[in-house]
Amino acid sequence: MEIILSNLKIQVNEKIYVKDPETSALGKKIIEQSILLIDAIGFDNFTFKKLGKEIGSNESSIYRYFENKHKLLVYLSSWYWSWMEYKLVFTTTNISDKKEKLNKAITIVTEKITDDISTEHINEAILNKIIIAEFTKTLHTKEVDHENKEGFFLIYKRVINRIVSIVKEVNPEYPFAKSLVSTIVEGSLHQHFLTDHLKTITDCNETVTTTQFYLNLAENVLR
Amino acid sequence: MEIILSNLKIQVNEKIYVKDPETSALGKKIIEQSILLIDAIGFDNFTFKKLGKEIGSNESSIYRYFENKHKLLVYLSSWYWSWMEYKLVFTTTNISDKKEKLNKAITIVTEKITDDISTEHINEAILNKIIIAEFTKTLHTKEVDHENKEGFFLIYKRVINRIVSIVKEVNPEYPFAKSLVSTIVEGSLHQHFLTDHLKTITDCNETVTTTQFYLNLAENVLR
DNA sequence: CTAAATTGAAAGTAATACTATTATATTTGC
DNA sequence: GCAAATATAATAGTATTACTTTCAATTTAG
């Protein structure tokens, strides 16, 4: 998987950036270091000025790649879900047993990424931490309908709908396939968050994983 | 229910505010109008200056009640979950049938509040809209662990753990009661959000409700 | 090797997120 | 009913944020 990934160019909607960060050294540095800085200080405290300082670049140069920090977060999220889609497709194709296919899919989207199978400049383990902590902020804005129309969340929705198809193969009668999958994908981020911060309202921890909870849930709901 | 609620003083952790807004006319105006203004322009665009203008008051007066807008949102959330807890306890006490009790509890926390059974200065239907759109932001900050220790999220956690107790009555063997309930409570807000903004990844709408989805889910998981 | 594109540095603007001070209004306690 | 205490309003001020603009220096591409 690693070998293939290192050759993979992850596609992100052009409207999200001003200039494609994959096309220059500075662009890649912006992506690489923004992931580290957002993880370190949190998205709310993150500014382009601070990032500029970190990468020895001027604030104004960063603005040539992204209009604002919200768009940068949308970019990182899109990249993440695109990478997730790749893993999902790679893992589930040619699996004939439908239940096994679904279980693999659920495992892929719910497990915490702890190993760093790094594409050169992107640390997926840390990016996963950012998604757990900050992804919800890409959606919860007054501009969500407009940005949705522009296709900012297309990859995210496609990941969910790919799993919906698998659910329908397992049980074509179940009437809530979309809601089940969107609940699993969003909910697993939330369960990881609770494991890290509000342990009294989750059963998930190092030994009992979020993935086990959702595998069990899907099994019970679709049988 | 309305009659009882109008006499009810909802308790909110003292550390959340500088001065209790329930103790003055200005305080109540701050709460009342902040709900309307956050709903209208979104939390990210909301400022104390704009709120001051709206209520014909000075910015500096609002700072005597709340340190910053984050704390105000935490206050509104606490109030909401306290009100929810009240409805939950009121609806589920003295119901002997365990499954019926659970179904009533799930209905209470997952249904969209469309009718306005107003406490004088708080419009619960609009507050529910704010919770759907903004609640996640109270948790997703770098200060979450500190604020959790201070008890900012106690009522929210208590609501969840009350429902966990009911789940355990229905099925004492089920090993993921906490994760199931936290998934339902958080997930139902998310499903409402999807119904409003990303319809292609949810089955919930005006006819098939979020509540139906989660009643079905719990039924299947706990049988 | 020259033109075009990219980046860096500096300065500027408007808004945000406060804090402090003082004046005025209102409440309450005796 | 009045003085004292408290609450609110108005104003001004600071530091930071979130950009935009301009121009010079550097890199790169044909």
Side-chain angles (χ1 to χ4, degrees):
Chain A
M1 187 118 117
E2 284 96 302
I3 301 143
I4 300 161
L5 266 173
S6 68
N7 298 324
L8 186 78
K9 169 89 162 66
I10 297 258
Q11 270 311 115
V12 166
N13 186 326
E14 289 186 2
K15 285 174 183 160
I16 294 171
Y17 49 73
V18 180
K19 179 184 169 164
D20 186 351
E22 292 288 332
T23 61
S24 77
L26 178 62
K28 283 174 189 165
K29 228 168 153 189
I30 289 170
I31 300 307
E32 178 182 19
Q33 295 298 315
S34 67
I35 291 171
L36 303 180
L37 189 55
I38 291 171
D39 177 55
I41 65 176
F43 185 68
D44 296 346
N45 303 314
F46 171 88
T47 69
F48 280 179
K49 194 164 198 172
K50 289 176 187 169
L51 177 62
K53 208 170 181 180
E54 209 70 30
I55 63 180
S57 242
N58 197 271
E59 202 185 353
S60 61
S61 303
I62 301 166
Y63 278 104
R64 291 214 185 75
Y65 286 85
F66 294 100
E67 260 179 69
N68 49 52
K69 69 174 185 172
H70 168 73
K71 291 267 177 80
L72 172 57
L73 185 62
V74 173
Y75 178 90
L76 295 177
S77 303
S78 283
W79 196 99
Y80 178 83
W81 293 113
S82 186
W83 175 72
M84 191 57 75
E85 184 182 31
Y86 177 82
K87 293 213 298 176
L88 187 67
V89 171
F90 188 87
T91 311
T92 58
T93 19
N94 300 325
I95 308 273
S96 53
D97 185 83
K98 289 162 183 176
K99 277 198 179 177
E100 190 193 344
K101 195 173 181 177
L102 179 61
N103 284 347
K104 290 205 172 189
I106 291 174
T107 301
I108 290 285
V109 292
T110 62
E111 74 190 346
K112 188 159 189 172
I113 285 93
T114 48
D115 57 334
D116 177 13
I117 45 169
S118 232
T119 8
E120 286 117 290
H121 57 293
I122 297 188
N123 183 322
E124 286 84 3
I126 299 181
L127 183 54
N128 177 241
K129 283 178 70 187
I130 292 178
I131 297 298
I132 289 168
E134 320 285 3
F135 174 62
T136 172
K137 293 172 189 169
T138 64
L139 298 174
H140 288 88
T141 71
K142 272 281 159 182
E143 294 76 39
V144 59
D145 294 331
H146 174 247
E147 294 188 349
N148 185 35
K149 263 182 204 148
E150 296 275 288
F152 286 19
F153 313 117
L154 242 152
I155 305 172
Y156 176 63
K157 294 189 288 184
R158 208 165 59 207
V159 166
I160 287 173
N161 282 318
R162 277 185 190 280
I163 306 173
V164 168
S165 303
I166 305 174
V167 166
K168 282 181 173 161
E169 284 180 47
V170 172
N171 183 346
E173 256 84 69
Y174 180 68
F176 304 109
K178 288 178 175 207
S179 287
L180 177 67
V181 177
S182 55
T183 279
I184 291 174
V185 172
E186 207 272 335
S188 76
L189 297 179
H190 187 58
Q191 291 297 316
H192 286 304
F193 180 84
L194 297 181
T195 299
D196 292 341
H197 301 292
L198 301 176
K199 298 185 209 301
T200 57
I201 53 170
T202 182
D203 301 290
C204 303
N205 51 51
E206 310 81 43
T207 49
V208 182
T209 65
T210 298
T211 298
Q212 282 164 13
F213 164 58
Y214 283 110
L215 285 174
N216 172 282
L217 183 97
E219 172 75 25
N220 284 326
V221 167
L222 299 174
R223 85 190 139 175
Chain B
M1 190 116 116
E2 285 97 300
I3 299 143
I4 299 159
L5 266 173
S6 68
N7 298 325
L8 186 79
K9 170 88 163 65
I10 298 259
Q11 268 314 112
V12 167
N13 187 327
E14 288 187 0
K15 285 173 183 161
I16 294 170
Y17 48 73
V18 181
K19 179 184 169 166
D20 186 352
E22 292 287 333
T23 60
S24 76
L26 178 63
K28 284 175 188 165
K29 228 167 151 187
I30 288 171
I31 299 307
E32 178 182 18
Q33 294 298 314
S34 68
I35 292 172
L36 303 180
L37 189 55
I38 291 171
D39 177 56
I41 65 176
F43 185 68
D44 296 346
N45 302 314
F46 170 87
T47 68
F48 280 179
K49 194 165 197 173
K50 288 176 187 169
L51 177 61
K53 207 171 181 181
E54 208 70 30
I55 63 179
S57 241
N58 197 272
E59 201 185 354
S60 59
S61 304
I62 300 166
Y63 277 105
R64 290 219 184 70
Y65 287 85
F66 294 100
E67 259 179 69
N68 50 51
K69 70 174 184 171
H70 168 73
K71 291 269 178 80
L72 171 58
L73 185 62
V74 173
Y75 178 90
L76 295 178
S77 303
S78 283
W79 195 98
Y80 178 84
W81 293 113
S82 185
W83 175 72
M84 191 56 76
E85 184 181 32
Y86 177 81
K87 293 212 301 176
L88 188 66
V89 172
F90 188 87
T91 312
T92 58
T93 23
N94 300 324
I95 307 273
S96 52
D97 185 82
K98 289 162 184 177
K99 278 199 177 174
E100 190 192 342
K101 196 174 180 175
L102 179 61
N103 284 347
K104 289 205 172 191
I106 291 174
T107 301
I108 289 285
V109 291
T110 62
E111 73 190 347
K112 188 159 188 173
I113 285 91
T114 49
D115 56 335
D116 176 13
I117 44 166
S118 232
T119 11
E120 284 117 289
H121 58 294
I122 298 186
N123 183 322
E124 284 84 3
I126 299 182
L127 182 54
N128 177 240
K129 283 178 70 187
I130 292 179
I131 296 299
I132 290 168
E134 319 284 4
F135 174 62
T136 173
K137 293 173 189 169
T138 64
L139 297 174
H140 289 87
T141 71
K142 273 280 159 182
E143 294 76 38
V144 59
D145 294 333
H146 175 246
E147 296 189 347
N148 185 33
K149 264 182 203 146
E150 296 275 289
F152 286 19
F153 313 117
L154 242 153
I155 305 172
Y156 176 63
K157 295 189 288 184
R158 208 166 58 207
V159 165
I160 287 173
N161 281 319
R162 277 184 189 279
I163 306 174
V164 168
S165 303
I166 304 174
V167 166
K168 283 181 172 162
E169 283 181 47
V170 171
N171 184 345
E173 257 83 70
Y174 181 68
F176 304 109
K178 287 178 175 204
S179 287
L180 177 66
V181 177
S182 57
T183 280
I184 292 174
V185 171
E186 208 271 335
S188 75
L189 296 179
H190 187 59
Q191 291 297 315
H192 286 304
F193 180 84
L194 297 181
T195 299
D196 292 341
H197 302 292
L198 301 177
K199 299 186 209 300
T200 57
I201 53 171
T202 181
D203 301 291
C204 303
N205 51 50
E206 311 79 43
T207 49
V208 182
T209 65
T210 299
T211 299
Q212 283 165 13
F213 164 57
Y214 282 111
L215 285 174
N216 172 282
L217 183 97
E219 172 76 25
N220 284 327
V221 168
L222 298 173
R223 85 188 138 177

